[in-house]
């Protein structure tokens, strides 16, 4: 899948080091549900054993890169429910590539993929209420806040509220 400046593609074995660096970036752990490190062994097995079939795996993880082939982040579609035609989406952009419009292009590609390939009815994201950048990104792409989950995220010291943002396709 390609946009003007961004390409989203399947994981390759060569992505192990990039995936390892992104997954183990502790600065973003408080923004989502992951707060444990992943070993290269575990990530290698994930890449090797993933069928690449969202209907089988219930999720798909894709690398986001520039047209020149530089990895800039990850896009996840998880909690895929073909019966209910919905899935959760997550986007992580590496620090040095933020604020350049890449996430907006990636989100548009995923929306198109979800609608035209997966035939989903809705996408949703669970976002920390204090993550203003992510909230603005999703709002500018048609997502609306539907509910707040009190003390949903925990960083080891503090609980944070999270919001469910939803888009009907």
């Amino acid at each position: 899948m390609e946009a003007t400046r961004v390409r989203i593609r399947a994981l390759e074995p060569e992505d192990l080091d990039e995936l390892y660096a992104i997954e183990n970036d502790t600065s973003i752990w408080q923004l989502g549900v992951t707060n444990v490190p992943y070993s290269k062994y575990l990530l290698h097995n994930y890449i090797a054993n993933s069928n690449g079939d969202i209907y089988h795996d219930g999720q798909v993880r894709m690398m986001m890169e520039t047209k020149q082939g530089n990895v800039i982040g990850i896009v996840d579609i998880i909690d895929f429910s073909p019966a209910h035609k919905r899935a959760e989406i997550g986007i992580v952009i590496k620090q040095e590539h933020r604020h350049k419009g890449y996430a907006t292009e990636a989100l548009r590609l995923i929306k198109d993929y979800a609608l035209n390939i997966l035939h989903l009815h809705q996408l949703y994201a669970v976002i920390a209420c204090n993550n203003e950048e992510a909230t603005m990104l999703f709002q500018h792409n048609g997502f609306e806040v539907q509910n707040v989950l009190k003390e949903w995220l925990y960083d080891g010291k503090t609980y944070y509220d999270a919001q469910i943002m939803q888009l009907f396709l």
Side-chain angles (χ1 to χ4, degrees):
M1 296 177 280
E2 291 190 23
T4 305
R5 300 176 308 132
V6 172
R7 177 178 25 240
I8 297 175
R9 60 167 177 76
L11 284 173
E12 298 290 349
E14 297 80 21
D15 294 321
L16 180 59
D17 289 336
E18 290 282 1
L19 187 60
Y20 179 80
I22 293 169
E23 289 291 354
N24 289 294
D25 179 356
T26 58
S27 70
I28 61 173
W29 284 0
Q30 80 279 4
L31 301 175
V33 296
T34 300
N35 60 0
V36 296
Y38 286 99
S39 69
K40 282 190 176 182
Y41 176 79
L42 184 66
L43 294 171
H44 175 272
N45 285 344
Y46 174 79
I47 293 170
N49 295 319
S50 175
N51 288 327
D53 180 356
I54 194 168
Y55 289 93
H56 181 269
D57 296 337
Q59 65 179 5
V60 64
R61 170 168 282 169
M62 295 175 276
M63 298 304 284
M64 185 184 342
E65 63 184 17
T66 64
K67 291 279 186 108
Q68 295 75 30
N70 299 316
V71 173
I72 55 176
I74 300 173
V75 176
D76 291 322
I77 300 176
I78 61 172
D79 200 19
F80 173 66
S81 174
H84 300 292
K85 298 192 176 294
R86 68 174 178 246
E88 182 178 350
I89 182 172
I91 297 177
V92 176
I93 303 289
K94 292 168 57 176
Q95 180 68 38
E96 63 269 23
H97 298 290
R98 294 180 188 158
H99 308 290
K100 297 179 181 177
Y102 294 135
T104 296
E105 283 194 27
L107 193 50
R108 288 182 185 144
L109 287 171
I110 291 303
K111 286 168 36 179
D112 185 60
Y113 174 72
L115 178 64
N116 296 314
I117 305 299
L118 299 177
H119 307 291
L120 295 183
H121 173 62
Q122 61 181 291
L123 290 172
Y124 68 94
V126 179
I127 299 171
C129 289
N130 62 348
N131 188 345
E132 294 174 9
E133 292 177 4
T135 299
M136 287 177 29
L137 167 70
F138 281 85
Q139 283 178 331
H140 286 130
N141 283 280
F143 285 73
E144 296 179 3
V145 175
Q146 296 299 329
N147 205 348
V148 173
L149 304 166
K150 296 292 183 185
E151 299 182 359
W152 193 255
L153 303 171
Y154 183 63
D155 68 2
K157 298 175 189 164
T158 306
Y159 287 96
Y160 297 92
D161 294 348
Q163 57 195 351
I164 297 175
M165 298 190 74
Q166 192 174 29
L167 172 72
F168 292 94
L169 301 169

